[in-house]
Amino acid sequence: MTIQLNQQRLKAAVIGMPIRQSLSPMMHGHWFEASGLDGSYSAVEVASADLENQVRTFQQTGFTGFNITVPHKTAIMPFLDKLAPSARQVGAVNTVKIGSDGKLIGFNTDGVGFIKNLKEQARGWPRDKPALLLGAGGAARAAATALLNDGVPMIMVCNRTREKAQVLADNLGRGRITVVDWSERNHAVTGAGLVVNTTVLGMVGQPQLSLDLAGAAADTVVYDIVYKPLNTDLLQAAKNRGLQTVDGLGMLVHQGAAAFKVWFDMDVSYDDTLRAKLMTALGEVNT
Ligand code: ATR
């Protein structure tokens, strides 16, 4: 049985470029089915020049909201009427809710997805030691914000372009973020309780991340937000050393679940059926 709200099929979407590979339509389709809501979720490829037009189209055609992915997460901000604290803090928007008055509110659910996945997959990590974040893009900003909000006392941010790490530390740091030179990343691993890759390195089609885990303490947790492939070389190297690892698929799912909640005020879960569907789509073996 499906529930009709306002006699209209609910509509949501994700916009980005490229977008063909997105797992979000499958994931939200699963949740529509599981929750009994009659809705659709599409993936729309949008070039930067067409961003505003697309937003207006969503507004005029009764969409409840939409997700935004690369490369539009900050470019979308000028078109919005209001930012929720999550988006203001991170400085990027991955979820927009369209109110019944047509007003657009921007949210960021990446940070929630990041921390929920970490807590679900890791049995805890040594919080008395700093967390080491590799990267300083939007994903790193969401991760840093989530860790600080969760009370992590210290974060080291290490990025190829040092100035971007410095901006991140200045904007978000509250005195709890230090910047580490990219050339010092292997050394920084030695003191870290949590090591997180938020760069694109290790993703299909990208170069590998070169990171030596030899100095990592036995209780260090290694987290890669890349989920294609799911078992990245970094995670495999960590497993080879007996370290706890966290893969990136749960972050995708939990940011999506938080967006579903924003739009439809409904809690949805990361059940085994969904995991199996996503693993199949990724070409991974479900273990
Ligand atoms: P996202 O919003 O998903 O975080 P992004 O803002 O494009 O994406 O950030 C990509 C991250 O991967 C950046 O930290 C980037 O480093 P720079 O700031 O120096 O560009 C990092 N990255 C991409 N290619 C890299 C490479 N070849 N070596 C090291 N870091 C790389």
Side-chain angles (χ1 to χ4, degrees), residues 122-172:
R123 297 182 299 277
W125 71 96
R127 282 168 166 267
D128 52 324
K129 295 189 204 163
L132 171 63
L133 285 189
L134 302 173
R141 294 178 69 90
T145 303
L147 287 169
L148 291 177
N149 288 347
D150 202 62
V152 166
M154 207 36 121
I155 299 176
M156 301 182 278
V157 176
C158 178
N159 191 50
R160 176 181 61 176
T161 311
R162 187 186 167 101
E163 301 79 65
K164 270 174 71 182
Q166 193 58 57
V167 169
L168 188 160
D170 293 344
N171 291 348
L172 308 175

Side-chain angles (χ1 to χ4, degrees), residues 135-139 159-161 164 182 198-201:
N159 191 50
R160 176 181 61 176
T161 311
K164 270 174 71 182
W182 185 244
T198 76
T199 74
V200 295
L201 298 175

Side-chain angles (χ1 to χ4, degrees), residues 45-246:
E45 185 154 293
V46 178
S48 297
D50 300 327
L51 189 55
E52 183 168 12
N53 263 343
Q54 186 59 54
V55 170
R56 303 302 165 217
T57 302
F58 285 146
Q59 264 177 319
Q60 287 154 13
T61 53
F63 273 67
T64 306
F66 56 96
N67 284 130
I68 303 98
T69 188
V70 177
H72 305 314
K73 285 187 185 185
T74 50
I76 191 79
M77 294 171 83
F79 306 125
L80 306 180
D81 296 295
K82 207 174 135 191
L83 293 180
S86 58
R88 215 174 311 123
Q89 235 185 339
V90 175
V93 168
N94 78 325
T95 301
V96 169
K97 163 121 184 167
I98 306 176
S100 48
D101 55 0
K103 290 250 172 11
L104 304 167
I105 309 174
F107 297 79
N108 191 304
T109 66
D110 286 332
V112 171
F114 171 87
I115 202 88
K116 205 161 176 199
N117 183 43
L118 173 59
K119 290 182 172 178
E120 225 167 62
Q121 286 193 53
R123 297 182 299 277
W125 71 96
R127 282 168 166 267
D128 52 324
K129 295 189 204 163
L132 171 63
L133 285 189
L134 302 173
R141 294 178 69 90
T145 303
L147 287 169
L148 291 177
N149 288 347
D150 202 62
V152 166
M154 207 36 121
I155 299 176
M156 301 182 278
V157 176
C158 178
N159 191 50
R160 176 181 61 176
T161 311
R162 187 186 167 101
E163 301 79 65
K164 270 174 71 182
Q166 193 58 57
V167 169
L168 188 160
D170 293 344
N171 291 348
L172 308 175
R174 309 172 216 170
R176 287 151 63 194
I177 299 184
T178 57
V179 173
V180 172
D181 215 78
W182 185 244
S183 61
E184 288 297 310
R185 61 193 182 283
N186 294 334
H187 181 62
V189 165
T190 329
L194 174 69
V195 175
V196 188
N197 175 38
T198 76
T199 74
V200 295
L201 298 175
M203 197 183 287
V204 169
Q206 297 284 342
Q208 282 302 333
L209 168 64
S210 145
L211 186 69
D212 186 357
L213 297 174
D219 57 356
T220 299
V221 172
V222 178
Y223 184 174
D224 201 336
I225 71 160
V226 168
Y227 57 82
K228 200 173 169 83
L230 198 54
N231 189 36
T232 59
D233 282 11
L234 173 68
L235 293 185
Q236 190 54 51
K239 285 173 193 166
N240 293 346
R241 297 195 156 271
L243 303 178
Q244 267 195 81
T245 60
V246 177

